[in-house]
Every structure is written in structure tokens, then in C-alpha cells.
Amino acid sequence: MSPEAVPLHTDCDIFTTVFYGTAMAKAIRILGRHTSYNVQKVLWLADELSLQYEHIQTGGRFGGTDSKEFLAINPHGKVPVLVDRERAIVESNTIIRYIADVYGKGIWNASEPFERTLTDRWLDWSIDRLERAFVAVFWGYYRTPPEKRDSDAIDRAVSECEDCLLALSAQLGLKPYLIGAHPTLADIATGVFLHRLYSIELPVTLPDNVFQWYQRLSRRQPYNKWVMSDFSELKGRVGY
Ligand SMILES: N[C@@H](CCC(=O)N[C@@H](CS)C(=O)NCC(=O)O)C(=O)O
């Protein structure tokens, strides 16, 4: 089923679906609209690991995040949420760490504490620097109607994004992925922003290393399916 084909859920449906399952219920349920880059991190990793899960479109035009049942699961009213049996996990980077720890067989995140910091620092940096710069570009330009845009703020945000891309480029060096020969959570938490930076009409320069990394990621089926999915419904949409 294509992402768009999933039916809308009422608040009540979401509560029922999450806790009691549907006819196609799986132990793992991923709540969140596929157009959210935070949700895409989770769907991308789940497919890399061939997890069996149920995807419940939630938030945005699908609604459901302001119901009291959803807020009981995530008081921030945001997606993604992962429900693994009866336990709910929130915050995209926390969720991907959890999935990697429980289902990842040591490939996507190291267990040795120092090795783990090598990946973790990119997850933290992605929130502190990259996401902040990306959001200023994506919301300031793509999601804001032309007559309301602040072009100076957009220029500053593009420059901040380009600084972040240079930091990624330096790290990529001779390595195909941020940590080495195989992608890890570091690539997921940062690589999820690349497609949008590359494909909105603004000229954001991708350094060579970063462009090649983007191409490598694009050839991975889960990246192609989720991260490179159509997000045009968000254009000029400041509502959520
Ligand atoms: N820090 C949170 C941020 C979650 C977040 O802001 N999610 C956005 C989508 S990217 C959301 O739920 N927006 C409201 C909506 O989609 O209805 C995370 O990483 O999970």
C-alpha cells in the first residue's frame, strides 16, 4: 500500500489501533505521517532491518495528535511514536536508538561505550545544529507563502546549512558513510535532511563528498521509499 493510500484515522481510531491493534495488527506500530522527516528516520531504519510493523499515519492532515489518548502516550503531541507491544517510545532519535539496540544486531549502533559516542555525537549534533538550520530553511522558504518570506533570514539559514554540510563533508573524508563502511544511526539522523535540502528550489550547495553520500543513500531502498517520497503537500503550508 502506498503511504498516501492509508486511510485517515479519527482520534478514537488511533487509540483503539495503538492499544488493541487492527485486523493486520503487528507487535510494532509506528505512528506518524510519512511526510515528517522525524517519522522518516524511524520508517527508514525499520525497513533496513526488515522489521514487521504497522504504520499508522498520524499528525498533519491525518490528525489525531491532540486527542487526550495520544497526549497520554506523548504529552508533546508530536510524531513519531513507536509502540512495541504495550510500550510507547517517543523522540525520533530515542526511537532509532531503541530499535538499533533491540533489533539492530550491533550493526547500526555500537554497544561499547566509547564506540557508541562516535555515533551519538552525530545524533546530538543533528538536533543542535543541522535540524535547526534545516528548519529555518524549510519552514522559512518552502512552507511559507512567497509574500510572507523573510529573504534575509532564509539567506542566513542557507549559509548555516552549508556550514553543517561542510562539517559532514569533512567527516565523510574517504569513508562511504559517516562512521565507516556501513551506514549507522549517524547517517540516518543527518541523512534524512539531505533530500529536501537538495530538492527544494533554493540553491543549497552540497559539497562533493556529501553529494556522493546522498547518491549512496538514494540507492538504498528504504531511503528511496521514505525519505525521497513526495512532500509537496507541505508547500506553503504553515498550519502544522
Ligand atoms: N524532537 C521531536 C520532534 C517531533 C516533531 O516536531 N514532530 C513534528 C513532525 S516533524 C510533528 O509532530 N508535527 C505535528 C504534526 O505533524 O501534526 C522528535 O525528534 O521526534
Side-chain angles (χ1 to χ4, degrees), residues 205-231:
T205 308
L206 264 53
D208 284 351
N209 285 343
V210 173
F211 184 66
Q212 284 160 24
W213 176 52
Y214 170 53
Q215 288 187 312
R216 238 170 260 130
L217 293 175
S218 307
R219 289 193 290 271
R220 303 187 76 85
Q221 201 267 344
Y223 187 89
N224 193 279
K225 176 177 179 186
W226 295 115
V227 181
M228 298 177 79
S229 63
D230 179 22
F231 58 91

PDB file of all heavy atoms in Angstrom, residues 205-231:
ATOM      1  N   THR A 205      24.349  24.470  -1.620  1.00  0.00           N
ATOM      2  CA  THR A 205      25.456  23.723  -2.220  1.00  0.00           C
ATOM      3  C   THR A 205      25.781  22.479  -1.411  1.00  0.00           C
ATOM      4  O   THR A 205      26.056  22.557  -0.212  1.00  0.00           O
ATOM      5  CB  THR A 205      26.713  24.622  -2.284  1.00  0.00           C
ATOM      6  OG1 THR A 205      26.337  25.839  -2.915  1.00  0.00           O
ATOM      7  CG2 THR A 205      27.837  23.952  -3.061  1.00  0.00           C
ATOM      8  N   LEU A 206      25.733  21.326  -2.082  1.00  0.00           N
ATOM      9  CA  LEU A 206      26.155  20.076  -1.454  1.00  0.00           C
ATOM     10  C   LEU A 206      27.611  19.813  -1.855  1.00  0.00           C
ATOM     11  O   LEU A 206      27.896  19.608  -3.036  1.00  0.00           O
ATOM     12  CB  LEU A 206      25.288  18.897  -1.935  1.00  0.00           C
ATOM     13  CG  LEU A 206      24.087  18.472  -1.071  1.00  0.00           C
ATOM     14  CD1 LEU A 206      23.181  19.630  -0.761  1.00  0.00           C
ATOM     15  CD2 LEU A 206      23.322  17.332  -1.705  1.00  0.00           C
ATOM     16  N   PRO A 207      28.559  19.822  -0.888  1.00  0.00           N
ATOM     17  CA  PRO A 207      29.953  19.502  -1.243  1.00  0.00           C
ATOM     18  C   PRO A 207      30.017  18.112  -1.892  1.00  0.00           C
ATOM     19  O   PRO A 207      29.141  17.267  -1.656  1.00  0.00           O
ATOM     20  CB  PRO A 207      30.678  19.503   0.111  1.00  0.00           C
ATOM     21  CG  PRO A 207      29.772  20.212   1.063  1.00  0.00           C
ATOM     22  CD  PRO A 207      28.382  20.038   0.553  1.00  0.00           C
ATOM     23  N   ASP A 208      31.078  17.877  -2.680  1.00  0.00           N
ATOM     24  CA  ASP A 208      31.180  16.616  -3.434  1.00  0.00           C
ATOM     25  C   ASP A 208      30.979  15.383  -2.563  1.00  0.00           C
ATOM     26  O   ASP A 208      30.225  14.479  -2.913  1.00  0.00           O
ATOM     27  CB  ASP A 208      32.560  16.507  -4.103  1.00  0.00           C
ATOM     28  CG  ASP A 208      32.617  17.403  -5.325  1.00  0.00           C
ATOM     29  OD1 ASP A 208      31.550  17.946  -5.713  1.00  0.00           O
ATOM     30  OD2 ASP A 208      33.726  17.589  -5.862  1.00  0.00           O
ATOM     31  N   ASN A 209      31.703  15.338  -1.416  1.00  0.00           N
ATOM     32  CA  ASN A 209      31.579  14.166  -0.533  1.00  0.00           C
ATOM     33  C   ASN A 209      30.141  13.948  -0.101  1.00  0.00           C
ATOM     34  O   ASN A 209      29.681  12.813   0.018  1.00  0.00           O
ATOM     35  CB  ASN A 209      32.381  14.367   0.764  1.00  0.00           C
ATOM     36  CG  ASN A 209      33.861  14.219   0.538  1.00  0.00           C
ATOM     37  OD1 ASN A 209      34.269  13.676  -0.471  1.00  0.00           O
ATOM     38  ND2 ASN A 209      34.644  14.694   1.487  1.00  0.00           N
ATOM     39  N   VAL A 210      29.460  15.054   0.159  1.00  0.00           N
ATOM     40  CA  VAL A 210      28.078  14.968   0.654  1.00  0.00           C
ATOM     41  C   VAL A 210      27.156  14.531  -0.482  1.00  0.00           C
ATOM     42  O   VAL A 210      26.255  13.706  -0.297  1.00  0.00           O
ATOM     43  CB  VAL A 210      27.636  16.320   1.263  1.00  0.00           C
ATOM     44  CG1 VAL A 210      26.153  16.305   1.614  1.00  0.00           C
ATOM     45  CG2 VAL A 210      28.476  16.639   2.490  1.00  0.00           C
ATOM     46  N   PHE A 211      27.404  15.067  -1.677  1.00  0.00           N
ATOM     47  CA  PHE A 211      26.570  14.673  -2.814  1.00  0.00           C
ATOM     48  C   PHE A 211      26.723  13.179  -3.108  1.00  0.00           C
ATOM     49  O   PHE A 211      25.743  12.468  -3.351  1.00  0.00           O
ATOM     50  CB  PHE A 211      26.919  15.511  -4.049  1.00  0.00           C
ATOM     51  CG  PHE A 211      26.017  15.208  -5.209  1.00  0.00           C
ATOM     52  CD1 PHE A 211      24.663  15.509  -5.153  1.00  0.00           C
ATOM     53  CD2 PHE A 211      26.513  14.591  -6.355  1.00  0.00           C
ATOM     54  CE1 PHE A 211      23.803  15.196  -6.211  1.00  0.00           C
ATOM     55  CE2 PHE A 211      25.664  14.276  -7.414  1.00  0.00           C
ATOM     56  CZ  PHE A 211      24.312  14.584  -7.341  1.00  0.00           C
ATOM     57  N   GLN A 212      27.962  12.695  -3.034  1.00  0.00           N
ATOM     58  CA  GLN A 212      28.178  11.257  -3.291  1.00  0.00           C
ATOM     59  C   GLN A 212      27.523  10.398  -2.211  1.00  0.00           C
ATOM     60  O   GLN A 212      26.970   9.328  -2.479  1.00  0.00           O
ATOM     61  CB  GLN A 212      29.668  10.952  -3.370  1.00  0.00           C
ATOM     62  CG  GLN A 212      30.266  11.408  -4.703  1.00  0.00           C
ATOM     63  CD  GLN A 212      31.765  11.579  -4.638  1.00  0.00           C
ATOM     64  OE1 GLN A 212      32.425  10.980  -3.797  1.00  0.00           O
ATOM     65  NE2 GLN A 212      32.299  12.406  -5.518  1.00  0.00           N
ATOM     66  N   TRP A 213      27.590  10.886  -0.976  1.00  0.00           N
ATOM     67  CA  TRP A 213      26.929  10.192   0.137  1.00  0.00           C
ATOM     68  C   TRP A 213      25.409  10.160  -0.096  1.00  0.00           C
ATOM     69  O   TRP A 213      24.756   9.132   0.073  1.00  0.00           O
ATOM     70  CB  TRP A 213      27.284  10.941   1.417  1.00  0.00           C
ATOM     71  CG  TRP A 213      26.690  10.516   2.705  1.00  0.00           C
ATOM     72  CD1 TRP A 213      26.669   9.272   3.258  1.00  0.00           C
ATOM     73  CD2 TRP A 213      26.056  11.386   3.661  1.00  0.00           C
ATOM     74  NE1 TRP A 213      26.073   9.320   4.495  1.00  0.00           N
ATOM     75  CE2 TRP A 213      25.694  10.600   4.762  1.00  0.00           C
ATOM     76  CE3 TRP A 213      25.776  12.757   3.691  1.00  0.00           C
ATOM     77  CZ2 TRP A 213      25.058  11.138   5.880  1.00  0.00           C
ATOM     78  CZ3 TRP A 213      25.150  13.288   4.800  1.00  0.00           C
ATOM     79  CH2 TRP A 213      24.796  12.480   5.877  1.00  0.00           C
ATOM     80  N   TYR A 214      24.848  11.292  -0.520  1.00  0.00           N
ATOM     81  CA  TYR A 214      23.416  11.380  -0.838  1.00  0.00           C
ATOM     82  C   TYR A 214      23.057  10.366  -1.935  1.00  0.00           C
ATOM     83  O   TYR A 214      22.051   9.649  -1.839  1.00  0.00           O
ATOM     84  CB  TYR A 214      23.089  12.814  -1.260  1.00  0.00           C
ATOM     85  CG  TYR A 214      21.718  13.027  -1.836  1.00  0.00           C
ATOM     86  CD1 TYR A 214      20.575  12.612  -1.155  1.00  0.00           C
ATOM     87  CD2 TYR A 214      21.545  13.662  -3.062  1.00  0.00           C
ATOM     88  CE1 TYR A 214      19.305  12.822  -1.682  1.00  0.00           C
ATOM     89  CE2 TYR A 214      20.294  13.878  -3.596  1.00  0.00           C
ATOM     90  CZ  TYR A 214      19.175  13.458  -2.900  1.00  0.00           C
ATOM     91  OH  TYR A 214      17.926  13.668  -3.426  1.00  0.00           O
ATOM     92  N   GLN A 215      23.908  10.274  -2.943  1.00  0.00           N
ATOM     93  CA  GLN A 215      23.632   9.300  -4.017  1.00  0.00           C
ATOM     94  C   GLN A 215      23.684   7.870  -3.491  1.00  0.00           C
ATOM     95  O   GLN A 215      22.878   7.021  -3.871  1.00  0.00           O
ATOM     96  CB  GLN A 215      24.634   9.483  -5.148  1.00  0.00           C
ATOM     97  CG  GLN A 215      24.372  10.763  -5.935  1.00  0.00           C
ATOM     98  CD  GLN A 215      25.251  10.862  -7.158  1.00  0.00           C
ATOM     99  OE1 GLN A 215      26.461  10.655  -7.054  1.00  0.00           O
ATOM    100  NE2 GLN A 215      24.675  11.172  -8.285  1.00  0.00           N
ATOM    101  N   ARG A 216      24.661   7.594  -2.615  1.00  0.00           N
ATOM    102  CA  ARG A 216      24.773   6.267  -1.999  1.00  0.00           C
ATOM    103  C   ARG A 216      23.501   5.948  -1.209  1.00  0.00           C
ATOM    104  O   ARG A 216      22.949   4.858  -1.308  1.00  0.00           O
ATOM    105  CB  ARG A 216      25.978   6.265  -1.046  1.00  0.00           C
ATOM    106  CG  ARG A 216      27.018   5.236  -1.356  1.00  0.00           C
ATOM    107  CD  ARG A 216      28.269   5.476  -0.523  1.00  0.00           C
ATOM    108  NE  ARG A 216      29.269   6.139  -1.310  1.00  0.00           N
ATOM    109  CZ  ARG A 216      29.950   7.232  -0.984  1.00  0.00           C
ATOM    110  NH1 ARG A 216      29.779   7.819   0.189  1.00  0.00           N
ATOM    111  NH2 ARG A 216      30.814   7.746  -1.798  1.00  0.00           N
ATOM    112  N   LEU A 217      23.061   6.914  -0.421  1.00  0.00           N
ATOM    113  CA  LEU A 217      21.843   6.706   0.375  1.00  0.00           C
ATOM    114  C   LEU A 217      20.636   6.494  -0.540  1.00  0.00           C
ATOM    115  O   LEU A 217      19.776   5.653  -0.276  1.00  0.00           O
ATOM    116  CB  LEU A 217      21.600   7.898   1.309  1.00  0.00           C
ATOM    117  CG  LEU A 217      22.630   8.102   2.429  1.00  0.00           C
ATOM    118  CD1 LEU A 217      22.337   9.389   3.208  1.00  0.00           C
ATOM    119  CD2 LEU A 217      22.663   6.912   3.386  1.00  0.00           C
ATOM    120  N   SER A 218      20.587   7.265  -1.618  1.00  0.00           N
ATOM    121  CA  SER A 218      19.443   7.179  -2.539  1.00  0.00           C
ATOM    122  C   SER A 218      19.286   5.789  -3.138  1.00  0.00           C
ATOM    123  O   SER A 218      18.189   5.390  -3.526  1.00  0.00           O
ATOM    124  CB  SER A 218      19.608   8.151  -3.711  1.00  0.00           C
ATOM    125  OG  SER A 218      19.854   9.434  -3.263  1.00  0.00           O
ATOM    126  N   ARG A 219      20.404   5.082  -3.242  1.00  0.00           N
ATOM    127  CA  ARG A 219      20.331   3.726  -3.824  1.00  0.00           C
ATOM    128  C   ARG A 219      19.833   2.702  -2.811  1.00  0.00           C
ATOM    129  O   ARG A 219      19.587   1.551  -3.161  1.00  0.00           O
ATOM    130  CB  ARG A 219      21.696   3.323  -4.386  1.00  0.00           C
ATOM    131  CG  ARG A 219      22.062   4.093  -5.658  1.00  0.00           C
ATOM    132  CD  ARG A 219      23.245   3.456  -6.371  1.00  0.00           C
ATOM    133  NE  ARG A 219      24.480   3.633  -5.641  1.00  0.00           N
ATOM    134  CZ  ARG A 219      25.314   4.679  -5.782  1.00  0.00           C
ATOM    135  NH1 ARG A 219      25.033   5.637  -6.642  1.00  0.00           N
ATOM    136  NH2 ARG A 219      26.421   4.750  -5.078  1.00  0.00           N
ATOM    137  N   ARG A 220      19.685   3.093  -1.557  1.00  0.00           N
ATOM    138  CA  ARG A 220      19.135   2.184  -0.543  1.00  0.00           C
ATOM    139  C   ARG A 220      17.613   2.267  -0.622  1.00  0.00           C
ATOM    140  O   ARG A 220      17.034   3.348  -0.520  1.00  0.00           O
ATOM    141  CB  ARG A 220      19.632   2.558   0.865  1.00  0.00           C
ATOM    142  CG  ARG A 220      21.145   2.560   0.979  1.00  0.00           C
ATOM    143  CD  ARG A 220      21.588   2.774   2.398  1.00  0.00           C
ATOM    144  NE  ARG A 220      21.425   1.588   3.207  1.00  0.00           N
ATOM    145  CZ  ARG A 220      22.318   0.605   3.287  1.00  0.00           C
ATOM    146  NH1 ARG A 220      23.450   0.682   2.613  1.00  0.00           N
ATOM    147  NH2 ARG A 220      22.090  -0.440   4.045  1.00  0.00           N
ATOM    148  N   GLN A 221      16.997   1.134  -0.758  1.00  0.00           N
ATOM    149  CA  GLN A 221      15.554   1.113  -0.997  1.00  0.00           C
ATOM    150  C   GLN A 221      14.750   1.843   0.095  1.00  0.00           C
ATOM    151  O   GLN A 221      13.850   2.624  -0.207  1.00  0.00           O
ATOM    152  CB  GLN A 221      15.108  -0.344  -1.181  1.00  0.00           C
ATOM    153  CG  GLN A 221      13.797  -0.509  -1.904  1.00  0.00           C
ATOM    154  CD  GLN A 221      12.643  -0.593  -0.915  1.00  0.00           C
ATOM    155  OE1 GLN A 221      12.839  -0.813   0.267  1.00  0.00           O
ATOM    156  NE2 GLN A 221      11.427  -0.398  -1.422  1.00  0.00           N
ATOM    157  N   PRO A 222      15.082   1.643   1.391  1.00  0.00           N
ATOM    158  CA  PRO A 222      14.287   2.332   2.424  1.00  0.00           C
ATOM    159  C   PRO A 222      14.435   3.854   2.380  1.00  0.00           C
ATOM    160  O   PRO A 222      13.480   4.585   2.656  1.00  0.00           O
ATOM    161  CB  PRO A 222      14.849   1.771   3.739  1.00  0.00           C
ATOM    162  CG  PRO A 222      15.465   0.458   3.373  1.00  0.00           C
ATOM    163  CD  PRO A 222      16.022   0.669   1.993  1.00  0.00           C
ATOM    164  N   TYR A 223      15.617   4.328   2.023  1.00  0.00           N
ATOM    165  CA  TYR A 223      15.813   5.786   1.894  1.00  0.00           C
ATOM    166  C   TYR A 223      14.982   6.297   0.722  1.00  0.00           C
ATOM    167  O   TYR A 223      14.273   7.291   0.809  1.00  0.00           O
ATOM    168  CB  TYR A 223      17.295   6.098   1.678  1.00  0.00           C
ATOM    169  CG  TYR A 223      17.627   7.582   1.703  1.00  0.00           C
ATOM    170  CD1 TYR A 223      17.945   8.218   2.890  1.00  0.00           C
ATOM    171  CD2 TYR A 223      17.628   8.336   0.526  1.00  0.00           C
ATOM    172  CE1 TYR A 223      18.255   9.583   2.927  1.00  0.00           C
ATOM    173  CE2 TYR A 223      17.929   9.693   0.550  1.00  0.00           C
ATOM    174  CZ  TYR A 223      18.249  10.307   1.749  1.00  0.00           C
ATOM    175  OH  TYR A 223      18.554  11.659   1.772  1.00  0.00           O
ATOM    176  N   ASN A 224      15.081   5.549  -0.374  1.00  0.00           N
ATOM    177  CA  ASN A 224      14.353   5.945  -1.564  1.00  0.00           C
ATOM    178  C   ASN A 224      12.847   5.961  -1.307  1.00  0.00           C
ATOM    179  O   ASN A 224      12.141   6.892  -1.678  1.00  0.00           O
ATOM    180  CB  ASN A 224      14.708   4.971  -2.691  1.00  0.00           C
ATOM    181  CG  ASN A 224      14.254   5.505  -4.013  1.00  0.00           C
ATOM    182  OD1 ASN A 224      13.087   5.366  -4.341  1.00  0.00           O
ATOM    183  ND2 ASN A 224      15.145   6.146  -4.742  1.00  0.00           N
ATOM    184  N   LYS A 225      12.377   4.934  -0.621  1.00  0.00           N
ATOM    185  CA  LYS A 225      10.932   4.823  -0.404  1.00  0.00           C
ATOM    186  C   LYS A 225      10.398   5.913   0.529  1.00  0.00           C
ATOM    187  O   LYS A 225       9.386   6.542   0.255  1.00  0.00           O
ATOM    188  CB  LYS A 225      10.597   3.452   0.196  1.00  0.00           C
ATOM    189  CG  LYS A 225       9.127   3.303   0.547  1.00  0.00           C
ATOM    190  CD  LYS A 225       8.789   1.923   1.062  1.00  0.00           C
ATOM    191  CE  LYS A 225       7.317   1.859   1.424  1.00  0.00           C
ATOM    192  NZ  LYS A 225       6.959   0.585   2.060  1.00  0.00           N
ATOM    193  N   TRP A 226      11.091   6.133   1.645  1.00  0.00           N
ATOM    194  CA  TRP A 226      10.519   7.033   2.655  1.00  0.00           C
ATOM    195  C   TRP A 226      11.065   8.454   2.554  1.00  0.00           C
ATOM    196  O   TRP A 226      10.296   9.418   2.502  1.00  0.00           O
ATOM    197  CB  TRP A 226      10.785   6.477   4.063  1.00  0.00           C
ATOM    198  CG  TRP A 226      10.068   5.184   4.302  1.00  0.00           C
ATOM    199  CD1 TRP A 226      10.626   3.956   4.513  1.00  0.00           C
ATOM    200  CD2 TRP A 226       8.639   4.963   4.334  1.00  0.00           C
ATOM    201  NE1 TRP A 226       9.650   3.003   4.682  1.00  0.00           N
ATOM    202  CE2 TRP A 226       8.426   3.598   4.576  1.00  0.00           C
ATOM    203  CE3 TRP A 226       7.528   5.802   4.178  1.00  0.00           C
ATOM    204  CZ2 TRP A 226       7.147   3.041   4.675  1.00  0.00           C
ATOM    205  CZ3 TRP A 226       6.255   5.253   4.271  1.00  0.00           C
ATOM    206  CH2 TRP A 226       6.079   3.887   4.516  1.00  0.00           C
ATOM    207  N   VAL A 227      12.376   8.601   2.539  1.00  0.00           N
ATOM    208  CA  VAL A 227      12.950   9.957   2.597  1.00  0.00           C
ATOM    209  C   VAL A 227      12.725  10.689   1.275  1.00  0.00           C
ATOM    210  O   VAL A 227      12.505  11.903   1.262  1.00  0.00           O
ATOM    211  CB  VAL A 227      14.452   9.903   2.953  1.00  0.00           C
ATOM    212  CG1 VAL A 227      15.029  11.308   3.045  1.00  0.00           C
ATOM    213  CG2 VAL A 227      14.663   9.144   4.259  1.00  0.00           C
ATOM    214  N   MET A 228      12.740   9.938   0.168  1.00  0.00           N
ATOM    215  CA  MET A 228      12.577  10.581  -1.128  1.00  0.00           C
ATOM    216  C   MET A 228      11.112  10.569  -1.584  1.00  0.00           C
ATOM    217  O   MET A 228      10.825  10.785  -2.750  1.00  0.00           O
ATOM    218  CB  MET A 228      13.495   9.909  -2.160  1.00  0.00           C
ATOM    219  CG  MET A 228      14.957  10.070  -1.773  1.00  0.00           C
ATOM    220  SD  MET A 228      16.110   9.241  -2.871  1.00  0.00           S
ATOM    221  CE  MET A 228      16.158  10.390  -4.234  1.00  0.00           C
ATOM    222  N   SER A 229      10.204  10.345  -0.646  1.00  0.00           N
ATOM    223  CA  SER A 229       8.789  10.366  -1.020  1.00  0.00           C
ATOM    224  C   SER A 229       8.320  11.819  -1.206  1.00  0.00           C
ATOM    225  O   SER A 229       8.963  12.759  -0.742  1.00  0.00           O
ATOM    226  CB  SER A 229       7.947   9.653   0.049  1.00  0.00           C
ATOM    227  OG  SER A 229       8.039  10.343   1.271  1.00  0.00           O
ATOM    228  N   ASP A 230       7.199  11.946  -1.883  1.00  0.00           N
ATOM    229  CA  ASP A 230       6.663  13.264  -2.242  1.00  0.00           C
ATOM    230  C   ASP A 230       6.260  14.048  -0.983  1.00  0.00           C
ATOM    231  O   ASP A 230       5.505  13.539  -0.160  1.00  0.00           O
ATOM    232  CB  ASP A 230       5.444  13.032  -3.149  1.00  0.00           C
ATOM    233  CG  ASP A 230       4.796  14.329  -3.576  1.00  0.00           C
ATOM    234  OD1 ASP A 230       5.472  15.379  -3.550  1.00  0.00           O
ATOM    235  OD2 ASP A 230       3.599  14.295  -3.925  1.00  0.00           O
ATOM    236  N   PHE A 231       6.775  15.257  -0.851  1.00  0.00           N
ATOM    237  CA  PHE A 231       6.402  16.080   0.305  1.00  0.00           C
ATOM    238  C   PHE A 231       5.740  17.381  -0.129  1.00  0.00           C
ATOM    239  O   PHE A 231       5.607  18.323   0.648  1.00  0.00           O
ATOM    240  CB  PHE A 231       7.631  16.349   1.202  1.00  0.00           C
ATOM    241  CG  PHE A 231       8.781  17.031   0.497  1.00  0.00           C
ATOM    242  CD1 PHE A 231       8.874  18.410   0.490  1.00  0.00           C
ATOM    243  CD2 PHE A 231       9.756  16.289  -0.158  1.00  0.00           C
ATOM    244  CE1 PHE A 231       9.934  19.044  -0.161  1.00  0.00           C
ATOM    245  CE2 PHE A 231      10.807  16.907  -0.805  1.00  0.00           C
ATOM    246  CZ  PHE A 231      10.900  18.296  -0.807  1.00  0.00           C
TER     247      PHE A 231
END
